[in-house]
Amino acid sequence: MYILPYMLPVLLTASAASIARSKTVPVDDITIHLDGPTTDGSAVGTGELAKAAKSAADDMIKWFPWKTPQASVEIEKNKCNPWTISSPTTKDEPKKLLWPPQVTAPMPLEALYSIMKVHSSDGNHILNGYLSRTDYSIFVTKAYFTPVKNLDKAALSDDVLAFCSLVLSYAKSAATPLMRDESPKLRTPFMPRNDFATLYNQVKPKLNIPLFPLFEQLACYKKRKDGKLDLVFKNEAAKSGGTMSIKAWIEGIASNKDLLTTFDKSIDGSIGGLGTKTEKMYKGTRAVPLFEFRDLDAIKTSEIENFMTNIDKSIQTLHDKYKAAPK
């Protein structure tokens, strides 16, 4: 598991002649990996996450690279050196800087669904993000399946509903065109780091029916005229691979082909970027997908350690509650 705090007050600029699109690239965030993904979830519950968070925070406070105006920074093995810090200013204390964090963690689909439920009612949960931009999240409930005749309603466990919520959210969001190089990941606070074929394989025994006709029916639940999914994602900035049909994407999932993951590679490769890699749950042997929880409440540098302690506890609680897969 790892945390990705994006430090919005920091603006880095660098000469980047090696980058084809621009000679100078402004960068408005710094990414810190406190701990990389593990194969067995062993970092959860060990206290190592909080220790890594404290170490990163202490290093940032001690480093204070903007103490001298326009200080230059050399990043090891970086082709764009030197980097110049133009913000924050010398008046900004490192310990008080705000970090909007993102957390990537192994999470069973039914546990994700419990957080989606909180999100749908604007409730509070440490892993529930709040989008300041348009939120395209759709919380699929059993009622959505009322017109579906070729599916046993007993199969509609929370893991199935979570999978359907994710697919339908991305699918219907395509009705609003993407900006140049805008990743679809920005449209919901819950982003799968595994490809959708891997997610589908978790629920396939219960949802082994043609997927596109199913999602067309689900899309009609609240707005019948809004049910058509003959939509596309298009990235105007891409030289190739910049268009994806929603229909082709959903149809391909059952054939272990995820066109959304492929499409996002033309932007930043975040959605499905870990492919088929899963992790085992805390104190368990069950392998579950990885999700990135985005748009979480901002925290100060001095609060990162406590934040990670609470994240660790929250994941332990969810893994304990949902340790057995739904029948």
Side-chain angles (χ1 to χ4, degrees):
M1 189 184 80
Y2 51 92
I3 175 179
L4 304 178
Y6 285 81
M7 190 173 174
L8 298 184
V10 175
L11 178 63
L12 302 178
T13 58
S15 174
S18 61
I19 299 178
R21 292 187 188 172
S22 176
K23 293 183 179 179
T24 302
V25 178
V27 181
D28 62 1
D29 56 60
I30 291 178
T31 304
I32 297 177
H33 294 247
L34 298 185
D35 190 19
T38 65
T39 56
D40 58 4
S42 58
V44 176
T46 64
E48 292 301 314
L49 300 174
K51 289 180 182 178
K54 183 179 186 304
S55 177
D58 288 348
D59 284 348
M60 177 58 68
I61 292 171
K62 182 180 179 181
W63 183 29
F64 203 171
W66 60 91
K67 190 172 185 178
T68 302
Q70 299 297 316
S72 292
V73 178
E74 296 282 334
I75 300 176
E76 186 178 355
K77 297 180 181 180
N78 187 276
K79 296 180 180 180
C80 300
N81 286 322
W83 296 77
T84 300
I85 298 177
S86 57
S87 176
T89 69
T90 55
K91 296 180 181 179
D92 297 310
E93 297 180 49
K95 65 181 180 181
K96 293 182 179 180
L97 290 177
L98 290 177
W99 299 67
Q102 298 173 6
V103 172
T104 297
M107 196 64 63
L109 281 164
E110 64 276 14
L112 174 67
Y113 190 70
S114 71
I115 303 172
M116 288 177 165
K117 185 175 183 179
V118 172
H119 183 76
S120 69
S121 60
D122 293 325
N124 292 320
H125 191 286
I126 195 169
L127 290 173
N128 177 33
Y130 294 88
L131 294 181
S132 57
R133 53 194 174 273
T134 303
D135 188 347
Y136 294 90
S137 301
I138 296 175
F139 181 62
V140 174
T141 63
K142 292 181 180 180
Y144 278 66
F145 291 82
T146 302
V148 180
K149 305 302 182 184
N150 60 338
L151 182 67
D152 182 0
K153 301 304 189 291
L156 298 178
S157 50
D158 286 356
D159 52 345
V160 172
L161 296 175
F163 171 77
C164 292
S165 296
L166 286 168
V167 173
L168 195 60
S169 295
Y170 283 114
K172 293 194 72 170
S173 79
T176 301
L178 294 168
M179 295 185 292
R180 291 173 63 87
D181 274 343
E182 177 193 354
S183 171
K185 74 180 183 182
L186 299 176
R187 301 206 157 177
T188 81
F190 311 112
M191 184 189 75
R193 294 292 279 126
N194 296 113
D195 59 56
F196 273 85
T198 298
L199 300 184
Y200 177 59
N201 286 335
Q202 298 260 327
V203 298
K204 185 175 181 178
K206 306 174 190 177
L207 204 61
N208 195 13
I209 61 174
L211 291 183
F212 187 70
L214 168 65
F215 279 100
E216 281 206 308
Q217 287 182 290
L218 299 183
C220 290
Y221 173 63
K222 290 191 175 181
K223 295 182 180 179
R224 296 195 61 81
K225 293 181 180 179
D226 198 30
K228 295 295 184 181
L229 293 179
D230 52 345
L231 305 168
V232 297
F233 274 135
K234 189 172 184 179
N235 177 21
E236 297 285 358
K239 293 182 178 179
S240 62
T243 302
M244 186 207 76
S245 158
I246 294 298
K247 183 176 187 290
W249 168 51
I250 294 176
E251 288 178 338
I253 290 173
S255 303
N256 284 318
K257 182 170 64 175
D258 181 6
L259 294 180
L260 181 57
T261 290
T262 302
F263 171 79
D264 200 50
K265 288 179 180 178
S266 74
I267 304 167
D268 69 2
S270 293
I271 298 175
L274 295 178
T276 61
K277 178 181 176 60
T278 56
E279 291 188 10
K280 293 179 182 177
M281 296 173 65
Y282 173 64
K283 290 186 176 180
T285 59
R286 181 185 171 197
V288 296
L290 290 142
F291 291 94
E292 182 173 291
F293 297 89
R294 304 172 52 81
D295 301 285
L296 305 179
D297 289 339
I299 53 176
K300 296 177 182 178
T301 308
S302 59
E303 298 170 336
I304 292 178
E305 180 184 6
N306 185 59
F307 172 79
M308 282 307 299
T309 297
N310 292 333
I311 285 289
D312 197 349
K313 290 178 181 177
S314 176
I315 292 172
Q316 290 180 55
T317 299
L318 288 166
H319 282 200
D320 182 62
K321 182 176 181 179
Y322 298 100
K323 58 186 175 183
K327 300 296 184 182

